[in-house]
Amino acid sequence: MTAIGTDTTVAVVGTGTMGQGIAQVALVAGHPVRLYDSAPGRAAQAAEAVVRRLDRLVEKGRIPAVERDAARARLSPAETLAELADAALVVEAILEQLPAKQELFRALEDVVPADCLLATNTSSLAVTAVAGGLRHPGRCVGMHFFNPAPLLPLVEIVSGFATDDAAATWGKTPVRCADTPGFIVNRIARPFYAEALRVHEERGADPATIDAVLREGSGFRMGPFELTDLIGQDVNEAVTHSVWTAFFQDPKFTPSLAQRRLVESGLHGRKSGRGWFDYAEGARRPEPHTAGPCPAPSSVTVLGELPGPAAVLREAIEEAGIKVTGDRTAREPESAGAVRLPGGALLALTSGAPATRRGRGATISFDLSLDYRAATRVALAPSATASEGDLAEAVGLFQALGKQVSVIDDVPGMIVARTVAMIIDFAVDAAARGVATPQDIDTAMRLGVNYPGGPMEWVDRLGAPWAWRLLDSLHRQNALGRYVPSWALRRRADLEEWVL
């Protein structure tokens, strides 16, 4: 297969939101486009909808009217599959059901030329399985666009076991990946949703607070609860279940019972008017838990070096006018890399274990941030022995640094730390298994789901030993296999520690 020239016809089968978006992308790239849908009249309606989208682009000054007119002239609906006979590329965007996709591709193979490329926009089904019923499975490739297709710049190019090389990126940033469950994004992004749901099920924090901590504490564009409401709870849960099943029910990918109940109740998010949040007109969104104002301590003692990105907190505390005492060599091993508050409580970055298990004295864990300077919110989790006065000192300290503070229950790994560590583990494991290159993994996660960085970049910054130790600690709290670090992460952690 060779690159698809703009003088060749592209056909899109399936005229839902994704199909219309793909058609628009191909049109803007200069292709003649044919839209087909098995429901009578649906293709013509979709073509009109695409033209309206182009009209809006003209109104906003994104494209000139002459370009819109030319694109409109290249767009035509098809009432039968036979009208796609001259297509050089057919992109399928129908139901996420393997038998339906296989049946469509077998029918297309009897219509299109032998050199026509057949692409599936599946988000979680195996491309190899989709192509399995074809006489020439090498012509089938995965082209996984992200919704909304005209706006998001990423496309995953997925090769099945029999796929020939192909190219048709239409101005998108392509990343190539092997035909494994979830490909890159839907595989590595699972913990972003799963750990938030797990913290909620553990009664660690409410959805609005979890969203705010991830969004304001580490720069994620949206929190997992508001994002799954936007995606559709039914869609997100179906992908999660598909990936879990494809990995032979690996506990790392276990779906959430809470999300299942939401789907069973018909609360699918924005499209149904309610999901985790209420989208009815006039409905008020719940606010994240935010601690009230507390006085800042006049001084603190820093014991040893604060770990990883938390190292900047010592300087930030000094800049806030709070006296910092103590040398950089901790005298108490269990206190290394922590802050001693005036009342005696220990303030430490979460290690994966609950604060209550860190030591006999009062301890307050604070959550990871990928950038403590930029963060506007931080989560705290007090141990059972921490007093209200201890907690007030910790809250006041972070408020003096310009942060809003959310106090959550003492759950292992808190919110950001366990989420980031799991994403890192999934990414390192995927790279080691040849799913994609480290560079393509980072590109996919930044462009496909708007992460504030790539997970391979995060492991470089935070260190594989940090991620391995945190997950190993979580595994000791929950020994069902969900948090067992991958061997790829363990090997990398061992290597980094050996070099150090």
Side-chain angles (χ1 to χ4, degrees), residues 197 200 207 225 228-229 233 258-259 262 269 274-279:
L197 288 161
H200 172 60
F225 291 96
T228 52
D229 269 357
Q233 296 300 331
Q259 188 177 39
L262 204 69
R274 185 180 168 194
W276 291 110
F277 306 114
D278 191 346
Y279 298 94

Side-chain angles (χ1 to χ4, degrees), residues 18 95-96 123-124 144 147 186 190 193 227-243 259-260 262-263 267-269 271:
M18 182 58 75
L95 293 173
E96 191 75 347
S123 59
S124 58
H144 181 213
N147 196 21
N186 277 328
R190 301 296 6 120
Y193 314 110
L227 181 54
T228 52
D229 269 357
L230 178 63
I231 295 169
Q233 296 300 331
D234 54 335
V235 174
N236 183 262
E237 200 267 347
V239 172
T240 298
H241 196 276
S242 174
V243 173
Q259 188 177 39
R260 179 93 286 264
L262 204 69
V263 172
L267 305 179
H268 295 168
K271 62 186 178 184

Side-chain angles (χ1 to χ4, degrees), residues 2 39 86 158 176-177 222 234 273 312 342 351-352 414 416 476:
T2 57
D86 63 341
V158 186
R176 294 189 176 274
C177 57
M222 298 180 73
D234 54 335
V312 302
S351 64
M414 302 187 71
V416 179
R476 290 197 295 273

Side-chain angles (χ1 to χ4, degrees), residues 55-413:
D55 290 339
R56 287 194 292 271
L57 291 179
V58 173
E59 293 168 2
K60 295 177 180 179
R62 303 280 178 82
I63 62 173
V66 64
E67 186 174 324
R68 181 268 318 275
D69 294 342
R72 182 164 51 194
R74 295 194 302 271
L75 177 63
S76 59
E79 293 300 322
T80 66
L81 282 181
E83 295 176 59
L84 312 183
D86 63 341
L89 167 66
V90 180
V91 183
E92 162 278 308
I94 64 171
L95 293 173
E96 191 75 347
Q97 296 177 358
L98 181 60
K101 293 179 188 291
Q102 290 176 325
E103 181 181 354
L104 170 64
F105 277 9
R106 283 193 293 267
L108 283 168
E109 197 170 33
D110 291 334
V111 172
V112 298
D115 60 350
C116 176
L117 187 65
L118 301 178
T120 173
N121 185 55
T122 181
S123 59
S124 58
L125 298 175
V127 174
T128 302
V130 174
L134 294 175
R135 295 189 298 274
H136 305 290
R139 63 164 54 188
C140 185
V141 66
M143 291 180 65
H144 181 213
F145 292 84
F146 292 79
N147 196 21
L151 297 181
L152 291 182
L154 183 75
V155 59
E156 290 178 326
I157 306 297
V158 186
S159 297
F161 278 33
T163 302
D164 298 328
D165 289 336
T169 58
W170 300 331
K172 299 292 184 182
T173 300
V175 292
R176 294 189 176 274
C177 57
D179 186 18
T180 59
F183 312 136
I184 301 175
V185 173
N186 277 328
R187 174 180 181 149
I188 296 174
R190 301 296 6 120
F192 183 69
Y193 314 110
E195 291 311 304
L197 288 161
R198 187 80 171 208
V199 171
H200 172 60
E201 290 172 340
E202 293 168 355
R203 294 295 184 263
D206 60 278
T209 299
I210 295 170
D211 277 359
V213 170
L214 282 160
R215 190 178 59 243
E216 301 166 27
S218 273
F220 287 92
R221 186 72 60 87
M222 298 180 73
F225 291 96
E226 59 186 345
L227 181 54
T228 52
D229 269 357
L230 178 63
I231 295 169
Q233 296 300 331
D234 54 335
V235 174
N236 183 262
E237 200 267 347
V239 172
T240 298
H241 196 276
S242 174
V243 173
W244 175 63
T245 301
F247 275 113
F248 305 103
Q249 300 183 351
D250 187 326
K252 287 176 178 286
F253 297 92
T254 301
S256 161
L257 181 60
Q259 188 177 39
R260 179 93 286 264
R261 293 291 179 259
L262 204 69
V263 172
E264 289 172 340
S265 301
L267 305 179
H268 295 168
R270 289 181 179 269
K271 62 186 178 184
S272 68
R274 185 180 168 194
W276 291 110
F277 306 114
D278 191 346
Y279 298 94
E281 185 175 354
R284 294 185 61 184
R285 285 284 293 274
E287 294 293 328
H289 173 80
T290 303
C294 295
S298 58
S299 66
V300 298
T301 301
V302 176
L303 304 171
E305 293 279 357
L306 297 179
V312 302
L313 290 176
R314 180 183 184 121
E315 183 178 300
I317 292 169
E318 292 174 333
E319 291 171 358
I322 298 171
K323 183 179 179 181
V324 177
T325 60
D327 59 36
R328 297 181 183 272
T329 303
R331 309 221 188 304
E332 305 166 71
E334 72 277 8
S335 303
V339 176
R340 183 75 71 184
L341 297 168
L346 198 67
L347 181 64
L349 177 64
T350 179
S351 64
T356 302
R357 295 199 60 179
R358 186 173 178 109
R360 295 181 180 178
T363 302
I364 300 168
S365 293
F366 63 90
D367 206 351
L368 174 73
S369 174
L370 295 170
D371 186 346
Y372 283 101
R373 288 285 190 182
T376 58
R377 183 179 295 271
V378 68
L380 300 180
S383 68
T385 53
S387 68
E388 290 185 8
D390 294 329
L391 182 58
E393 287 182 344
V395 170
L397 176 63
F398 277 103
Q399 287 176 341
L401 305 185
K403 318 298 182 190
Q404 296 191 82
V405 178
S406 292
V407 179
I408 69 171
D409 194 33
D410 188 19
V411 292

